[in-house]
Amino acid sequence: MRWGRHLPRASWGSGLGGALQSAEAVQGHRRNLAEWFSRLPREERQFGPTFALDTVHVDPVIRESTPDELLHPSAQLALEHQHPLAGLPTLALSQLFDPDACGRRVQTVVLYGTVGTGKSTLVRKMVLDWCYGRLPAFELLIPFSCEDLSSLGSAPASLCQLVAQRYTSLKEILPLMAAAGSRLLFVLHGLERLNLDFRLAGTGLCSDPEEPGAPAAIIVNLLRKYMLPEASILVTTRPSAIGRIPSKYVGRYGEICGFSDTNLQKLYFQLRLNQPDCGNGAGGAGVSATPAQRDSLVQMLSRNLEGHHQISAACFLPSYCWLVCATLHFLHAPTLPGQTLTSIYTSFLRLNFSGEMLDSTDPSKLSLMAYAARTVGKLAYEGVSSRKTYFSEEDVRGCLEAGLKTEEEFQLLHVFCRDALRFFLAPCVEPGHRDTFVFTVPAMQEYLAALYIVLGLRKTTLQRVGKEMAELVGRVGEDVSVVLGIVAKLLPLRALPLLFNLLKVVPRVFGRMVGKSREAVAQAMVLEMFREEDYYNDDVLDQMGASILGVEGPRRHPDEPPEDEVFELFPMFMAGLLSAHNRAMLAQLGRPIKTLDALENAQAIKKKLGKMGRQVLPPSELLDHLFFHYEFQNQRFSAEVLSSLRQLNLAGVRMTPLKCTVVAAVLGSGRHALDEVNLASCQLDPAGLHTLMPVFLRARKLGLQLNSLGPEACSVLRDLLLHDQCQMTTLRLSNNPLTVAGVALLVEGLVGNSSLTHLSLLHTGLGDEGLQLLAAQLDRNQQLQELNVAYNGAGDRAALALAQAARDHPSLELLHLYFNELSSEGRQALRDLSGTAKGGARVVVSLTEGTVVSEYWSVILSEVQRNLNSWDRGRVRRHLDLLLRDLEDSRGATLNPWRKAQLLRVEGEVRALLEQLGGLGS
């Protein structure tokens, strides 16, 4: 928010006598409100330093409704969302106080909506609009939070005192409020927090704004129009509390319908996702998304919305539009330090449910989130345990109504269904499942299932009975043990001490039973992580991105058999919810997780994970395993569990900035060396290499083949080679366009490095200049044992220069030069040079060495086979033709039948490769 923005001056001449003092007071009030309502929570600041609510706000659809609709709610589950009906028009904010259909002046407007429809954001935007002169119909706006008023209890205070305590700048003009008439607007946000009594016997009449009374009584008299009868009032509330205001005091009802129009959803995403971000990832190495990348995300999301898929039904609620944006920002923008997927979902619930009670009139004062975790969480867990994502109405009712016995409990359920059920469940819009319900976004089911478990809400019948018995025996045992102790001293009864000890054993047995339950949960979670059926899925981060942005290409036909449901996020969320940060946020929601319980759960998980985690996992599953540890945010736990990990094979996994951050955060602080880190074909960039530097410092072998790395990446690799903690012995950079500029940087690193022994620069675009540079600088490194510069387009002169430098090198044993642009004379000269060298490096240029097969023939052909689809096919065919001719010439020059047989065998391998390329050579 730009604080220096011009604020309009108040024109109090007509309303309050035109006093300059009044105008200045209102001007100061505007400034104070603008500063207060422009402050954004931390969750919003993740979208960038320039993010401001008034630049990205999209007004939800507001549908005018009638008292008859409100008095006769549907008996069905409150899940279906209605589109605006004919004859009941939609309303803009500027039209809320327009005369009604009969021409009567509207003074009191009640806006209602379920959790997540955007009531708080709408009020915030309306206040800011008034501050900046965009609501000229009102000269003074006074907002009240009903949560704030309810915290005062029944302590007496006058309306003037309530205003003066909150808005000091208005203290001098409060006596003039009545003169403002309808140009004075009170905003009462969250009326469900107040228990209002409109009966005269409960709340007496009072018209004096300076008369002290209970805050609820003052609000009642304002709404009765008995106090400040000309003032305008805007009320926001949840549907279940609409009836607390008699309809005769309300001039207009408006239902906040969210984004029932897909175009509003698209506009919201365009405004949110096109915000420039901070440009700083974890460790300051992040790279901001380019405008083209942001546009691409918006376009993919728009196409998915246009397909009328389930995501469009979810984004009916503006809150879920926020969640989609926050998730995409997490997946594609630089990650804030410590931010996890679980923390995004917990923050999302905190933004919507923090401090929310289910029913303020109920003595239990049960938090709305606690009720949701117990009921909807049960449904979510039963779905995960039975691998089910579609739920019938009977399924939903079965979980919601389980264990209800009293009228009060059914009343609380009714309030929850009207106010919050639509937040968690949505009608399914997929073909073949029209009469079922699904969780609003798929990941929410797994999050709530994990929450249900870590809060200890899942209990077997044996556990419930055992707990009741343990508590009963524990209570009775204290009294009985005293009596038995006295009796035992008076009478020689040998059985009494035995009975006394049994009373102490019962609670201990129950504690062991709970421990066994934790182990069973940990076992189920670990088995879900390591299901072999999921081994060849995409990693969970790519799955989440696809669920939001859609899957490119043909979709599965509705008549095809359904695929098995995958719940790989469930264990990730369980780990995340046990982290200290998320436990602190859950405590704010009224559902704390005790530290001791978190430790015991962590111990049970570590015990099971230690046994299963030693197996070799496919790359995508290994990344999921690392993401589990990232969500847990417990370095000591991760270090113990991953102490046996020696090979990090993530070949083929698309390493986004987030995934690089995950790997670096989990493995960067470990102490043991990694024998090999394989990141071939991972779409890495220089920023990703920089993020992964702590992991590279632990690696002995590093594979970065097929990553399109250029000279800029070589700057990072140079710093890696020069680092005093570098222990790398093998570096593979094959099939990256490093060019001469890149190899010049690598040479700088080689000069100061003392650990590297094997370097592969195969097919890196070095050319003659690159090989000559290596030849000139090779003697400055004294440890290198093998150098591969094959397939680099180098000619005879550069290859011979490098071969001569290799011959004189003290440690170099092997130099690969095959598939370069060498003439027959050049190849022969290299063979001669290799044959005459005593103790120098062997030079590999062909499949033959004289009339015998080279011992490196399988190395050359396996390299060709591995890169057959990525190399230039015509060029590879030409080089294979030359190799085939060498083999035929060698076979014709020898009479040794054993050598002929070997040469024929290798010829067959070369011909097979030529057939794969589409034709035999000459």
Side-chain angles (χ1 to χ4, degrees):
M1 180 63 63
R2 297 180 289 279
W3 307 114
R5 183 181 298 179
H6 173 69
L7 295 172
R9 288 193 170 274
S11 56
W12 280 67
S14 60
L16 298 181
L20 180 62
Q21 181 184 10
S22 300
E24 290 300 326
V26 174
Q27 187 71 2
H29 181 57
R30 288 182 191 267
R31 284 194 298 269
N32 293 338
L33 280 183
E35 182 176 355
W36 177 256
F37 279 86
S38 298
R39 294 178 180 177
L40 297 174
R42 181 178 181 273
E43 289 81 3
E44 294 286 26
R45 293 199 294 273
Q46 69 178 305
F47 291 104
T50 63
F51 178 82
L53 180 67
D54 61 336
T55 62
V56 299
H57 179 76
V58 179
D59 287 336
V61 172
I62 301 176
R63 180 179 68 89
E64 187 168 1
S65 57
T66 64
D68 289 339
E69 278 187 83
L70 305 175
L71 293 174
H72 301 92
S74 172
Q76 300 297 320
L77 285 175
L79 291 172
E80 297 290 349
H81 57 269
Q82 296 92 13
H83 292 282
L85 302 176
L88 293 175
T90 58
L91 297 168
L93 280 179
S94 58
Q95 299 173 321
L96 291 179
F97 290 91
D98 287 354
D100 63 14
C102 298
R104 292 187 297 263
R105 185 158 64 98
V106 173
Q107 291 182 280
T108 302
V109 175
V110 175
L111 296 180
Y112 65 94
T114 59
V115 174
T117 49
K119 299 184 293 296
S120 299
T121 306
L122 195 67
V123 167
R124 184 188 293 265
K125 179 61 166 54
M126 191 172 187
V127 172
L128 290 174
D129 280 350
W130 178 79
C131 291
Y132 298 122
R134 294 193 286 263
L135 285 179
F138 303 105
E139 290 185 356
L140 180 60
L141 183 147
I142 301 177
F144 280 116
S145 164
C146 294
E147 180 182 10
D148 175 32
L149 296 179
S150 68
S151 67
L152 302 177
S154 58
S158 68
L159 175 61
C160 290
Q161 288 174 330
L162 291 176
V163 174
Q165 288 170 0
R166 286 151 186 79
Y167 308 109
T168 310
S169 59
L170 298 180
K171 185 180 295 185
E172 301 300 326
I173 64 169
L174 288 177
L176 306 174
M177 278 196 305
S182 63
R183 297 176 71 80
L184 168 62
L185 174 62
F186 287 100
V187 177
L188 306 176
H189 176 52
L191 192 76
E192 69 276 358
R193 305 294 189 103
L194 288 176
N195 191 7
L196 304 181
D197 187 353
F198 279 80
R199 298 172 305 152
L200 287 175
T203 305
L205 298 175
C206 178
S207 62
D208 185 0
E210 297 186 7
E211 178 71 23
I218 291 173
I219 298 302
V220 166
N221 280 297
L222 275 176
L223 292 168
R224 282 172 172 165
K225 291 302 172 186
Y226 202 78
M227 183 183 294
L228 299 179
E230 295 298 317
S232 301
I233 302 175
L234 175 69
V235 176
T236 67
T237 185
R238 300 201 306 244
S240 64
I242 298 172
R244 296 184 190 179
I245 307 176
S247 59
K248 64 181 179 180
Y249 298 125
V250 180
R252 173 172 285 134
Y253 291 98
E255 180 185 6
I256 303 176
C257 297
F259 295 155
S260 54
D261 184 352
T262 306
N263 290 324
L264 292 179
Q265 300 173 8
K266 291 182 186 178
L267 178 60
Y268 182 97
F269 291 130
Q270 288 169 359
L271 293 173
R272 281 269 176 168
L273 295 175
N274 281 318
Q275 290 288 313
D277 51 46
C278 299
N280 292 318
V287 175
S288 299
T290 64
Q293 290 171 328
R294 291 195 289 264
D295 287 342
S296 176
L297 283 179
V298 172
Q299 290 173 10
M300 292 176 69
L301 189 51
S302 296
R303 283 198 297 270
N304 207 19
L305 290 170
E306 289 167 2
H308 301 290
H309 301 138
Q310 196 63 46
I311 188 173
S312 180
C315 291
F316 162 76
L317 291 175
S319 289
Y320 276 92
C321 291
W322 183 93
L323 180 61
V324 167
C325 286
T327 305
L328 286 176
H329 203 268
F330 175 69
L331 293 174
H332 296 279
T335 307
L336 297 174
Q339 187 183 48
T340 64
L341 185 64
T342 311
S343 71
I344 288 177
Y345 273 72
T346 309
S347 298
F348 171 64
L349 294 179
R350 186 174 67 86
L351 285 172
N352 286 279
F353 291 95
S354 181
E356 292 280 350
M357 284 186 295
L358 181 58
D359 186 356
S360 62
T361 64
D362 186 72
S364 65
K365 304 299 180 187
L366 183 64
S367 81
L368 188 54
M369 191 62 227
Y371 194 89
R374 193 179 71 208
T375 54
V376 188
K378 175 180 173 63
L379 180 69
Y381 177 73
E382 289 184 358
V384 169
S385 59
S386 59
R387 315 202 70 75
K388 180 178 179 181
T389 57
Y390 303 100
F391 302 93
S392 66
E393 185 170 335
E394 290 73 21
D395 295 331
V396 178
R397 288 191 182 279
C399 283
L400 295 180
E401 297 177 358
L404 299 188
K405 298 176 182 177
T406 66
E407 180 64 27
E408 290 76 14
E409 290 174 335
F410 278 100
Q411 181 60 32
L412 288 177
L413 175 60
H414 175 70
V415 170
F416 178 76
C417 288
R418 288 201 70 185
D419 290 351
L421 187 58
R422 176 62 182 85
F423 183 87
F424 297 104
L425 295 174
C428 184
V429 299
E430 296 177 10
H433 299 280
R434 292 290 184 181
D435 296 326
T436 60
F437 303 110
V438 294
F439 279 83
T440 315
V441 292
M444 182 57 75
Q445 177 180 353
E446 298 176 73
Y447 178 90
L448 289 173
L451 184 63
Y452 184 72
I453 293 298
V454 299
L455 290 176
L457 298 175
R458 175 185 174 270
K459 293 182 175 66
T460 63
T461 304
L462 181 61
Q463 284 178 294
R464 286 194 295 270
V465 173
K467 182 179 181 181
E468 292 172 2
M469 284 185 59
E471 291 175 350
L472 177 63
V473 172
R475 287 194 301 268
V476 174
E478 295 178 3
D479 300 328
V480 173
S481 60
V482 173
V483 175
L484 291 178
I486 296 171
V487 172
K489 292 179 181 179
L490 299 176
L491 298 174
L493 300 177
R494 298 180 181 274
L496 289 178
L498 179 61
L499 181 58
F500 176 74
N501 290 328
L502 283 175
L503 289 172
K504 292 182 176 180
V505 166
V506 173
R508 228 175 295 162
V509 171
F510 175 71
R512 290 185 181 179
M513 191 163 57
V514 172
K516 291 292 184 183
S517 173
R518 287 197 180 97
E519 289 190 9
V521 170
Q523 176 75 8
M525 189 207 73
V526 171
L527 290 175
E528 185 66 46
M529 280 182 65
F530 297 106
R531 288 181 76 235
E532 292 188 9
E533 297 91 331
D534 301 337
Y535 270 13
Y536 301 100
N537 294 341
D538 291 337
D539 59 78
V540 290
L541 296 175
D542 281 352
Q543 289 178 37
M544 175 154 278
S547 71
I548 295 174
L549 299 175
V551 179
E552 298 295 330
R555 298 179 177 274
R556 184 175 59 84
H557 192 275
D559 294 335
E560 292 181 17
E563 298 176 356
D564 191 18
E565 297 293 348
V566 176
F567 295 100
E568 292 182 280
L569 276 173
F570 170 61
M572 316 300 173
F573 283 136
M574 277 194 66
L577 287 169
L578 292 174
S579 70
H581 176 63
N582 282 294
R583 284 191 284 118
M585 283 196 285
L586 286 173
Q588 296 174 16
L589 287 169
R591 294 305 303 172
I593 300 174
K594 295 179 181 178
T595 303
L596 183 60
D597 288 340
L599 288 173
E600 290 176 350
N601 275 311
Q603 288 296 326
I605 292 171
K606 183 166 66 174
K607 182 178 178 181
K608 299 298 179 182
L609 204 57
K611 296 177 181 178
M612 299 289 293
R614 296 189 184 96
Q615 56 185 294
V616 178
L617 299 172
S620 62
E621 290 297 306
L622 178 56
L623 183 69
D624 289 348
H625 188 189
L626 297 179
F627 186 61
F628 168 88
H629 289 276
Y630 178 77
E631 289 292 309
F632 205 173
Q633 295 282 297
N634 187 325
Q635 290 187 350
R636 181 179 177 182
F637 175 92
S638 299
E640 292 179 11
V641 172
L642 297 172
S643 59
S644 61
L645 182 68
R646 289 294 182 269
Q647 290 190 330
L648 179 65
N649 180 16
L650 297 176
V653 173
R654 185 173 60 92
M655 293 298 291
T656 62
L658 172 61
K659 295 176 188 177
C660 293
T661 300
V662 167
V663 175
V666 174
L667 295 177
S669 59
R671 296 181 180 178
H672 69 276
L674 296 169
D675 293 338
E676 183 172 5
V677 174
N678 185 0
L679 295 172
S681 302
C682 288
Q683 302 179 37
L684 277 167
D685 57 15
L689 295 181
H690 190 280
T691 303
L692 290 167
M693 181 75 81
V695 181
F696 295 162
L697 290 173
R698 296 176 53 196
R700 291 199 174 97
K701 294 181 180 179
L702 176 59
L704 296 173
Q705 311 93 299
L706 288 163
N707 275 297
S708 300
L709 299 174
E712 188 180 354
C714 292
S715 176
V716 181
L717 294 173
R718 175 198 59 193
D719 296 342
L720 171 64
L721 292 170
L722 293 175
H723 200 285
D724 58 357
Q725 295 180 16
C726 179
Q727 52 186 314
M728 187 189 311
T729 60
T730 300
L731 176 59
R732 303 188 189 95
L733 295 170
S734 312
N735 299 299
N736 287 295
L738 304 181
T739 70
V740 180
V743 82
L745 294 169
L746 284 177
V747 166
E748 293 179 25
L750 285 173
V751 170
N753 180 271
S754 59
S755 63
L756 195 69
T757 58
H758 295 72
L759 175 63
S760 176
L761 299 173
L762 178 142
H763 193 216
T764 50
L766 303 184
D768 287 342
E769 191 177 352
L771 263 66
Q772 288 170 349
L773 177 62
L774 283 170
Q777 301 291 330
L778 194 61
D779 61 340
R780 299 180 64 186
N781 176 283
Q782 302 296 310
Q783 284 77 35
L784 206 60
Q785 297 176 12
E786 182 177 351
L787 176 62
N788 189 340
V789 289
Y791 199 11
N792 269 296
D796 293 351
R797 175 180 290 184
L800 282 168
L802 183 57
Q804 289 169 351
R807 180 189 60 183
D808 299 331
H809 195 275
S811 61
L812 197 64
E813 299 174 357
L814 192 60
L815 175 65
H816 300 262
L817 283 169
Y818 49 87
F819 274 34
N820 279 294
E821 303 303 316
L822 304 175
S823 63
S824 299
E825 295 78 9
R827 291 199 299 276
Q828 188 57 50
L830 288 169
R831 289 194 193 98
D832 294 341
L833 186 66
S834 178
T836 58
K838 295 181 180 179
R842 296 189 63 176
V843 180
V844 181
V845 292
S846 180
L847 298 175
T848 61
E849 295 177 2
T851 59
V852 299
V853 174
S854 169
E855 63 180 286
Y856 300 104
W857 72 269
S858 59
V859 174
I860 298 173
L861 294 186
S862 62
E863 200 72 61
V864 175
Q865 180 71 58
R866 188 161 46 245
N867 297 285
L868 207 56
N869 295 324
S870 60
W871 287 356
D872 179 79
R873 300 175 78 83
R875 192 173 170 187
V876 172
R877 184 182 292 110
R878 180 163 54 83
H879 283 293
L880 287 175
D881 283 341
L882 292 173
L883 293 178
L884 187 62
R885 192 175 298 120
D886 281 348
L887 287 166
E888 291 171 345
D889 292 344
S890 297
R891 182 162 51 85
T894 182
L895 297 176
N896 188 315
W898 174 245
R899 290 182 180 176
K900 283 181 179 288
Q902 284 185 311
L903 290 164
L904 277 171
R905 178 194 169 192
V906 178
E907 280 183 43
E909 298 283 348
V910 175
R911 292 179 188 278
L913 287 173
L914 283 167
E915 286 181 1
Q916 290 184 47
L917 286 169
L920 285 171
S922 57

